[in-house]
Amino acid sequence: MRFFATLLGLCVATGPVAAQVAPVVTESGVSAHPFDINQVSLTSSRFMANQNRTLSYLKFVDTNRLLYNFRLNHKLSTSGAIANGGWDAPDFPFRTHMQGHFLTAWAQCYAQLGDTVCRDRATSFVAELIKCQNNNKAAGFATGYLSGFPESEFAKLENGTLSNGNVPYYAIHKTLAGLLDVYRWIGDTNAKTVLLAFAGWVDTRTSKLSYDQMQKVMQTEFGGMNEVLADIYHQTGDKKWLTAAQRFDHAAIFDPLASNQDTLDGLHANTQVPKWIGAAREFKATGTSKYRDIAKNAWAFTVNAHSYAIGGNSQAEHFHAPNAISTWLTNDTAEGCNTYNMLKLTRELFTMNPTDATYFDFYERALINHMLGQQNPATDHGHITYFTSLNPGGHRGLGPAWGGGTWSTDYDSHWCCQGTGIETNTKMQDSIYFYDDSSLYVNLFTPSKLNWKARSVTIIQSTTFPASDTTSLTVIGGDSWAMKIRIPSWTSGATITVNGVTQSITTTPGSYATLSRTWASGDVVIVKLPMKLRVIPANDNKSVAALAFGPTVLCGDYGSTTLSANPKLDLNTVKRSGTTGLAFAGTADGKPVNIGPFYDAQGFNYAVYWAVSGSLPA
Ligand SMILES: *[C@@H]1O[C@H](CO)[C@@H](O)[C@H](O)[C@H]1NC(C)=O
Ligand SMILES: *[C@@H]1O[C@H](CO)[C@@H](O)[C@H](O)[C@H]1NC(C)=O
Ligand SMILES: *[C@@H]1O[C@H](CO)[C@@H](O)[C@H](O)[C@H]1NC(C)=O
Ligand SMILES: *[C@@H]1O[C@H](CO)[C@@H](O)[C@H](O)[C@H]1NC(C)=O
């Protein structure tokens, strides 16, 4: 891959040659595949602007500060570094959960952009982690252990005396996943060595526990342990990792989901979603339909009965009763990590059933309306909010402590959502296109370039979507294959032209339009997805609703005015300001209000949900 990319002038790497390492296990039950992340890149857009900001943070952050807790715990010198604050402070129970996210984000930036600064940060970080792991005897830890907190935390977890809020498997899942990504995206063999030694430590430790003991261990949040161990199996083909993954099958969560029961009410939301991704990975490893049913049913419950208009879920990090939406519009709605994980789950499910357009309808909704605007565009380090407030008068970056919505900081936050945020903003390109034996799926309308290596085809997508309703796909290279274009459920009257000629193909909303063709280099496909204003009622009260234009959720701009309730909006008054763009205006609480994209709502108080009356102008 490196050779090919260098030919195209995309890579400027000068260091040791490394390459992506493909998994060895063939997945069961899949009929579409994602492209390797180095085959798709973004071109200029809001998505790329987000990526740029996160990239500058990834290159700025002091890695000695990130190594501090690892070195301290493994009895090595902290090299004069200053300790971090927030969730990476030396006394924070699950310190060093953040570093694995950095490893993943650096690896993604190298794989996608050929960014050698990120590659070198990842590989030198791993080289320091090896030193920590190699000092385990002196530190009194078993072989393979690697963390910023002592191994005895796991003994306490197993003997039921853990009491400081630690979630030790949650934290080490991130380290394992980061090491795996440095191995598979950069080809760093040190990362493989540390990873397998650490995974071996997990296997040894958990193999000693009975089934019942293991189920008790899983009453404490454990991230995606089943996911990462199944991924190590996919990567290496060694069945022992699959056996270890299956020890993390949490029966209390899996069994009701397998029989299609929504028992999510009251559960900590982000504790569950990674387990479902793990179930999908275990299905692809085993073909066992129970795993598929768990993942599919969990997704459907969460999307249909527990998600807000912006695609986020949870209030105060918890699920509530199915369809309880209008009664939970508070400052601490829509935790960022949950949506990051739901997007990962959506990708997994799509590849099992790529004719079902609801998967990417959701992906688009949550990516544009939750993830994109979660990052602060006003500063250049890509800081994010933990929750996205849906409280009337909510304000990104303002609010009580980490709970309400302050922006993350360089060294004193390190919240879970900052970790998933640096991953999200360095993989904005990873789900735009998928492929199967005979087709290319165009799932997202994002300015990008696809290098479809296997067919020697390049696709260049240009658009200002969702600000405009049209996207253009230029095909460079020939061959016969079908372009399957997602026709979102929110559109009607979609049209597709090739080189200016309207194609007579079915463009039913909520399905894929199939454009089968022998392509000539330079063919231009124009997809027009007409947008209109629509109302998204809360599941539990039709009088409480959000507004959207096409895929974009809109909000009222309330400046510095505080609100005590959802503003009363007369739908008949809502009008687009001009014929293009996403600026609207209306009358709410008897006063004029400007209405615009929620992803652009930073720096002012906003209202996403309204108490609506009347109906939208035709
Ligand atoms: C992102 O950064 C690249 C490299 O510096 C620059 O060429 C591009 O214009 C930037 N794009 C956006 C949208 O900020
Ligand atoms: C549980 O494990 C911790 C850490 O090893 C130990 O200090 C504690 O004594 C153990 N408690 C019980 C009840 O076994
Ligand atoms: C919600 O956040 C706003 C700032 O956006 C703050 O003024 C308000 O006090 C918060 N409300 C609660 C209940 O914490
Ligand atoms: C539904 O929302 C409207 C508008 O806020 C409110 O007046 C009404 O009481 C709510 N209905 C119920 C059943 O809660």
Side-chain angles (χ1 to χ4, degrees), residues 307-311 325-326 329 365 369 390 532-556 566-567 569 571 574 595-596 598 606-613 616:
S307 294
Y308 298 100
I310 63 167
I325 298 293
S326 70
L329 299 173
R365 163 181 158 199
N369 299 306
L390 294 171
K532 55 181 202 246
L533 272 174
R534 53 196 187 100
V535 170
I536 307 173
N539 299 15
D540 54 346
N541 185 339
K542 294 226 170 327
S543 305
V544 176
L547 278 184
F549 187 73
T552 307
V553 171
L554 306 172
C555 67
N566 296 320
L569 177 69
L571 291 171
V574 181
I595 297 171
F598 182 52
Y606 56 73
V608 173
Y609 279 90
W610 312 84
V612 292
S613 60
L616 288 169

Side-chain angles (χ1 to χ4, degrees), residues 454-488:
R455 285 191 183 269
S456 303
V457 163
T458 300
I459 309 281
I460 295 169
Q461 183 173 186
S462 312
T463 180
T464 55
F465 185 94
S468 82
D469 64 4
T470 302
T471 191
S472 149
L473 297 133
T474 303
V475 178
I476 300 163
D479 208 353
S480 294
W481 44 271
M483 188 184 281
K484 293 190 171 166
I485 301 156
R486 183 175 59 89
I487 307 300

Side-chain angles (χ1 to χ4, degrees), residues 268-344:
H268 184 262
N270 196 50
T271 294
Q272 317 313 327
V273 190
K275 300 172 192 175
W276 309 338
I277 302 168
R281 301 302 296 150
E282 290 173 293
F283 167 70
K284 292 178 182 186
T286 61
T288 304
S289 59
K290 181 177 176 185
Y291 286 127
R292 180 196 57 209
D293 296 346
I294 291 162
K296 274 182 69 169
N297 295 339
W299 185 91
F301 291 144
T302 303
V303 169
N304 297 326
H306 297 275
S307 294
Y308 298 100
I310 63 167
N313 64 67
S314 78
Q315 184 275 333
E317 302 193 2
H318 286 71
F319 288 123
H320 293 298
N323 302 313
I325 298 293
S326 70
T327 46
W328 295 107
L329 299 173
T330 57
N331 278 339
D332 51 2
T333 43
E335 182 184 354
C337 291
N338 307 21
T339 295
Y340 156 90
N341 278 312
M342 283 300 291
L343 294 184
K344 282 179 72 169

Side-chain angles (χ1 to χ4, degrees), residues 36 47 110 115 123 140 178 187 239 246 273 277 308 359 374 401 428 448 492 508 563 575 579:
D36 284 349
F47 298 92
Y110 172 64
D115 190 300
T123 55
K239 279 253 155 93
Q246 291 174 308
V273 190
I277 302 168
Y308 298 100
Y359 289 119
Q374 184 208 9
M428 288 290 193
S448 55
S492 65
T508 311
L563 298 175
K575 283 192 186 62
T579 52

Side-chain angles (χ1 to χ4, degrees), residues 12 48 50 57 70 159 163 165 168 220 265 338 359 368 383 403 420 438 486 532 602:
V12 288
M48 188 193 241
N50 273 36
Y57 178 51
F70 280 113
N159 73 19
S163 62
T220 298
D265 185 10
N338 307 21
Y359 289 119
I368 292 177
H383 285 302
T420 51
S438 57
R486 183 175 59 89
K532 55 181 202 246
Q602 294 90 15

Side-chain angles (χ1 to χ4, degrees), residues 152-153 155-156 159-161:
S152 53
E153 294 293 278
K156 290 187 202 162
N159 73 19
T161 63

Side-chain angles (χ1 to χ4, degrees), residues 331 391 393-395 398-400:
N331 278 339
N391 194 30
H395 187 133
L398 271 190

